[in-house]
Amino acid sequence: MTFSSQHLLFLSLLLTGTIMAVSSPSWFMAWVGLELNLMSFIPLITSKTNQYPSEAALKYFLVQALGSAFIILSAPLMMNTDVFVSMLLMALLLKLGAAPFHSWFPSIMEGLNWTQCIFLMTIQKIAPIFLISHLISQTFVSKFIIFSSILSALVGSLGGLNQTSLRKILAFSSINHLSWMLIAMLLSDYSWLIYFFFYSVISSSIVIFFNLQQYFFFSQLFTNPFTSLTKSFTSSFALLSLGGLPPFSGFIPKWIIIEAMAYNHMFFPLLVLILSALITLYYYLRIAALPLLLMTTKTKLLSPSPPQLFSSYLAPLFLFFNIFGLLIPSFFLFL
């Protein structure tokens, strides 16, 4: 996606809507921020030359409009606090793409390019998840969030097993990571903010690598003769870090949440999250290991790859961040 002046304008409006929704003093202003965020994101994912982003934009608009309609519908029910909060929670979970309202997320991810996927996986999650964190004071809200978290963990782990599209794999991976963030909201704001930061940086590094290499399907990872050893190590470490394999950086937020859940005696949700993380780590390992195993010196000698920006600047930076947990893991334990 090339950034023209129109794209920069809509991107600034998207960020403005997100900030407005997060910092709003009332639910009405939060709804206005969500609508501004929605209406500025639609032009960013439409394309005149390709029908798939336009189809994804239409699906995204219909789903988000349904969520906004639930928010508007909850306004006359403010006198009944339980019904009002329940409808708000369902609307925000729908906008977030959490289970059981998750079915739209993988299909829309499949129709976007990699740059647009970064926005959908990171920036578009900020406002709904912040607003959900304001609702957890209610007891039944906490129970429904635990239910949604367990369901998201199962859907995200099992849904990505038989996928060959990298965008769908990252979509189901995002749903699985969303389960950890929902549980972290019940523990402390510090926990889910740390998790969201690590998830955003690590997943963005993977998407940037796939975008530069123009990888969209699993088979392309080990059929491209121009992939260097540095790029393969960088992408493999990023995938293992996203899966939460110790001692990579992606394990640090999982470690914090596991310790907090054990302290609060949330053993059954913790068991489900750990088992789902192991399943997701399986298809991360499948993506990460094959390019390294099938790369030979003969292939590299016959097809030398030209120097690129990723190899010279971005690869060492992402490589350092993904092994950051190996260098100083104890720093975060004393915060």
Side-chain angles (χ1 to χ4, degrees), residues 118 121-122 170 198-212 231 234-235 237-239 241-242 310 314-315 317-319 321-322:
I118 293 180
M121 293 168 60
T122 57
L170 289 182
F198 275 86
Y199 162 75
S200 299
V201 175
I202 297 172
S203 60
S204 297
S205 68
I206 297 172
V207 171
I208 290 173
F209 172 76
F210 288 160
N211 183 43
L212 291 174
K231 296 175 184 177
T234 304
S235 61
F237 285 171
L239 287 165
S241 181
L242 186 63
F310 186 83
L314 296 180
L317 178 62
F318 291 149
L319 190 62
F321 184 83
N322 288 317

Side-chain angles (χ1 to χ4, degrees), residues 9-26 29-41 44 60 64 92 95-96 118-131 134 192-193 196 200:
L9 172 63
F10 288 119
L11 180 59
S12 62
L13 290 176
L14 184 143
L15 296 176
T16 302
T18 301
I19 295 173
M20 183 184 298
V22 168
S23 60
S24 62
S26 64
M29 292 303 297
W31 172 78
V32 172
L34 290 173
E35 292 303 299
L36 180 61
N37 177 276
L38 167 63
M39 299 310 295
S40 58
F41 186 61
L44 291 176
Y60 184 79
Q64 297 297 314
L92 294 173
K95 284 181 170 291
L96 195 59
I118 293 180
F119 292 115
L120 186 61
M121 293 168 60
T122 57
I123 297 178
Q124 294 302 99
K125 292 183 180 296
I126 295 176
I129 200 170
F130 257 98
L131 295 176
H134 297 324
W192 79 262
L193 286 172
F196 184 78
S200 299

